[in-house]
Amino acid sequence: MPAKKYEPPDPRRGYTIQTREDATAGKTCQWLGLELNSRITVMSNEIFDMTFLTYLSASNNRLTRLPSCISNLFNLEFLDVSNNCLEELPKELGDLLNLRELHLRNNQLRELPFELGRLFQLKGISVDGNPFAQEYPISRYDVNSILLYLLDGLQVAPQPPQRQWTQISSPLEQGFVGSGEKFTVMSYNVLCDKYTTRALYGYCPSWALLWPFRRDLIFKELSQTNADIISLQEVEYEQFHNFFDPKLTSLGYDGIFDQKSRAKTMSESDAKHVDGCAIFFKRQRFRLIHRYTMEFNQLAVAQAEGSSDMLNRVMPKDNIGIAALLEVKQLTGQLRSAPSPPDVLVANVHVHWDPEYCDVKLIQTILMMRELGAIVDEAIKERQRNPALGVRQIPLVMCGDLNSIPKSGVVDYLQNGELSIAHPDFKENQYKGFLDKNVLPDKPGKSSTSSTAPMIGHAFNLSRVFE
């Protein structure tokens, strides 16, 4: 959704005064701005409860300070405190992320808080007439210079809260590993280096966007979390081979990796910077049986069924999913001899990002679940062909960046196991041939002439980790 266009306040705007009679008669009015021009020395805290304000002018007064609770005015777009006696500014001003204009002229300010650098939507700032102890790179025509200067001066933020583990169900309830055995899974989008641009992350200090800084923090978290299975998205080819693979190998992991499909059409030097998905697993706990790559553009071509939208909307997006069929070992690291070792299928996917392509996200997810279902069916058939292995159900652990909100068609489809082919996320695009080929059979008691749209589904009973 595009950002709301900012309209600077009109200095010639008119005023409407509500009379006592109007108020008594129950007449209401809507106002979003407040002007204080009465030589005041202190602003009442009640002002900072007016969270609806978008405009606040307190210029030409005798204010010596602004309270930290000014951050309550999160809708504020215009703030003018010029011509006062302010000696310092609260760092909480940096929390007013909707601010577009900030006027601080003719005060007694000696410095600006670095937190002002977070005001990435700021279009205008004026600070002349202050006895600053240093020279700031401020230009009337270049607000970004001062924002970048302040932003890069920010200190390292406090450590994020420790991640909480979510237990889906006990291993005994799942029935595929021995009593008392568990394994942990972590999924992490590490943010590909080429996507960390100032245009996308203007609110972030430039030093915090640098890959050497971020990778060390990421690896620190991965090693401290010590998960049995790690799924990573947006990993560049070079990052995988030169950093993640050797680092995690030293911690006892084996891994698989594949890139987005475009890498196949690029030169070797350019392909190194194409991102993809990786799965790492502790070699003491698991052994790799098979690895799989799902290229959604190739699957879209194969499943197009004459659909132009399948070819024009889904096929050009080269997102991928990968999967690893793993044999679970005993806690001692030794393979079981009897009964036969259980298997688990771990999948990792990164679907298309653009909110305007919710239909593509959904089709990619359906294609992926079809492939995962086929992988499980083939693995079970393999066990059936080899009596020594025994026949077991093969559980699925699905990780990834779905680029979807909780109430989207993607999440509904995965969580509920089925979705109407009339779901609005298909956006009335022409996928009918593909969807008709994959609809679920009618449930008992449901008339084949019912007006209810057919359902498309998958074969897994997935539990949801996130809320």
Side-chain angles (χ1 to χ4, degrees), residues 120-292:
F120 64 98
Q121 295 198 79
L122 205 63
K123 302 298 182 185
I125 183 171
S126 56
V127 298
D128 48 294
N130 285 283
F132 290 124
Q134 66 180 97
E135 185 175 347
Y136 289 104
I138 296 179
S139 167
R140 176 181 175 186
Y141 304 103
D142 185 14
V143 178
N144 284 336
S145 294
I146 181 60
L147 293 183
L148 294 178
Y149 174 85
L150 294 171
L151 190 61
D152 287 344
L154 272 175
Q155 298 298 310
V156 177
Q159 291 295 316
Q162 186 174 4
R163 298 180 189 268
Q164 300 297 313
W165 290 105
T166 301
Q167 183 164 310
I168 299 300
S169 59
S170 74
L172 195 58
E173 289 172 343
Q174 292 288 3
F176 68 94
V177 292
S179 175
E181 292 190 28
K182 301 179 181 179
F183 61 83
T184 53
V185 182
M186 182 182 193
S187 183
Y188 201 145
N189 185 320
V190 300
L191 185 57
C192 182
D193 187 36
K194 67 182 178 183
Y195 300 146
T196 56
T197 64
R198 298 299 308 215
L200 290 174
Y201 299 96
Y203 53 85
C204 190
S206 58
W207 51 262
L209 294 175
L210 298 176
W211 176 242
F213 174 80
R214 294 195 301 112
R215 74 181 184 187
D216 291 341
L217 291 180
I218 292 169
F219 179 70
K220 179 181 179 182
E221 184 166 13
L222 294 179
S223 58
Q224 289 178 344
T225 302
N226 195 32
D228 296 312
I229 296 172
I230 299 173
S231 292
L232 303 178
Q233 304 88 40
E234 289 196 21
V235 179
E236 289 185 6
Y237 177 93
E238 203 164 45
Q239 293 169 356
F240 175 82
H241 290 285
N242 295 343
F243 183 76
F244 286 111
D245 193 37
K247 283 281 192 179
L248 289 171
T249 294
S250 69
L251 295 182
Y253 290 89
D254 287 333
I256 65 170
F257 168 79
D258 215 336
Q259 296 173 277
K260 290 178 178 175
S261 304
R262 74 186 71 163
K264 297 178 180 179
T265 66
M266 303 170 72
S267 66
E268 183 178 349
S269 59
D270 289 338
K272 290 180 180 179
H273 302 290
V274 176
D275 65 290
C277 296
I279 297 174
F280 291 93
F281 49 90
K282 287 186 176 178
R283 67 179 72 95
Q284 186 181 15
R285 299 294 313 275
F286 306 96
R287 181 182 70 86
L288 180 65
I289 302 174
H290 293 296
R291 56 174 295 171
Y292 309 88

Side-chain angles (χ1 to χ4, degrees), residues 319-351:
N319 304 80
I320 66 162
I322 63 174
L325 184 62
L326 303 177
E327 180 179 309
V328 183
K329 298 180 180 180
Q330 288 179 321
L331 290 176
T332 59
Q334 301 298 316
L335 295 181
R336 296 176 179 84
S337 55
S340 60
D343 301 335
V344 59
L345 181 64
V346 180
N348 185 17
V349 64
H350 189 190
V351 303

Side-chain angles (χ1 to χ4, degrees), residues 334-381:
Q334 301 298 316
L335 295 181
R336 296 176 179 84
S337 55
S340 60
D343 301 335
V344 59
L345 181 64
V346 180
N348 185 17
V349 64
H350 189 190
V351 303
H352 187 59
W353 65 272
D354 194 340
E356 293 300 316
Y357 284 81
C358 56
D359 57 317
V360 172
K361 301 174 196 281
L362 190 46
I363 293 293
Q364 288 181 341
T365 305
I366 294 170
L367 290 170
M368 175 187 64
M369 298 308 291
R370 278 173 46 90
E371 291 299 301
L372 294 177
I375 291 170
V376 168
D377 288 345
E378 180 57 33
I380 291 175
K381 288 178 182 178

